[in-house]
Amino acid sequence: MPSNNLTEQVIGCAIEVHKALGPGLLESSYEACLMYELLKLDIPASNQVTLPIAYKGNLINNGYRVDILVSEQLIIELKVTESILPIHVAQTLTYMKLSGIKTGLIINFNMPTLIKGIKRLSL
């Protein structure tokens, strides 16, 4: 599935979750509901995927976790914050580099209108 089509489908699912729940809940609530929506559409997704660090030829599991990995080609980083900050962008780009995945979405559910809380990243 091309990444543009995939990101559109994920954004549609996120909007569905946001319409039903609104802002103000815990990140884990949005994660569980977004996973439900993705899997309902038969979009392969996993949550809390361990991301090891490759360091001097060794894989070191240091507890980094991708919120949601979709079809092995899209990283979704979920936030419930006032706004998407540069540190959130840096975090997601680092996860993308570590995993070799070229596309990422930051979705901030703490917005009155969800579309204002979505940032697409690519390497």
Side-chain angles (χ1 to χ4, degrees):
M1 184 181 302
S3 66
N4 281 341
N5 187 28
L6 184 60
T7 56
E8 287 173 11
Q9 286 188 295
V10 169
I11 289 169
C13 289
I15 289 170
E16 183 69 24
V17 170
H18 192 266
K19 279 183 191 176
L21 301 178
L25 300 177
L26 295 174
E27 184 181 304
S28 59
S29 300
Y30 297 111
E31 181 179 316
C33 294
L34 182 53
M35 283 295 298
Y36 171 83
E37 291 295 331
L38 293 169
L39 296 175
K40 184 175 83 172
L41 294 179
D42 292 323
I43 298 171
S46 302
N47 60 327
Q48 296 303 311
V49 177
T50 302
L51 184 61
I53 298 170
Y55 180 74
K56 295 187 176 182
N58 297 297
L59 288 180
I60 299 172
N61 187 356
N62 197 38
Y64 291 111
R65 295 187 181 277
V66 172
D67 288 338
I68 299 177
L69 178 60
V70 180
S71 296
E72 301 292 326
Q73 58 182 315
L74 174 64
I75 287 178
I76 302 174
E77 185 61 30
L78 301 177
K79 299 294 178 196
V80 178
T81 185
E82 190 173 321
S83 63
I84 296 173
L85 300 174
I87 191 66
H88 301 139
V89 173
Q91 173 192 18
T92 306
L93 287 171
T94 297
Y95 288 175
M96 291 164 61
K97 289 174 190 169
L98 288 172
S99 66
I101 293 174
K102 305 289 185 204
T103 308
L105 283 176
I106 304 172
I107 303 175
N108 180 13
F109 279 95
N110 199 36
M111 304 297 288
T113 306
L114 185 65
I115 203 72
K116 294 180 181 178
I118 297 174
K119 184 163 186 72
R120 187 179 191 276
L121 303 170
S122 52
L123 294 177

